[in-house]
Amino acid sequence: QVQLVESGGGLVQPGGSLRLSCTASGSISNNNVMGWYRQAPGKEREMVAVAFSGGPKNYADSVKGRFTISRDRGWNTVYLQMNSLEPEDTAVYYCNFRTLSSPWDDHWGQGTQVTVSS
């Protein structure tokens, strides 16, 4: 069973920065994708950024140039560096771990609140 532990959320002023981290533990396949999704009140959950263990990364258009996703060499930790934060970035951010081959696996973290407000 894979468990995800997130950290790094909080309150920040517009223009500020935060760094989120998420570590997966348990029976982990190295062929995986880890990423961050967010859900604002009254809105559906959306992809923010994902990073594949082979290297490729994808970003939502709304965060390109402001957010950077990175992985550790063990492929079990993912980071999200968020710069130039805007009030529209306020949401609960969820970490996701998904395998890319059998045995198929898909897990979510508990979520961490990010609030951008003056």
Side-chain angles (χ1 to χ4, degrees), residues 34-39 45-50 92-96 98 108:
M34 292 186 75
W36 293 94
Y37 293 72
R38 67 187 180 187
Q39 188 167 18
R45 189 173 298 188
E46 63 176 0
M47 187 272 289
V48 176
V50 295
V92 178
Y93 284 68
Y94 295 91
C95 176
N96 176 257
R98 179 164 50 88
W108 292 91

Side-chain angles (χ1 to χ4, degrees), residues 7 17 20-21 31 38 40 42 44 46 65 91 105 112-113 117:
S7 63
S17 298
L20 306 181
S21 65
N31 187 21
R38 67 187 180 187
E44 293 190 355
E46 63 176 0
D105 219 354
T112 184
Q113 177 70 46
S117 175

Side-chain angles (χ1 to χ4, degrees), residues 53-80:
S53 55
K57 301 171 184 177
N58 291 331
Y59 294 90
D61 288 343
S62 60
V63 306
K64 284 180 181 177
R66 301 188 298 122
F67 292 9
T68 302
I69 191 169
S70 60
R71 302 279 303 267
D72 73 328
R73 290 184 179 274
W75 303 119
N76 70 329
T77 299
V78 64
Y79 305 96
L80 185 68

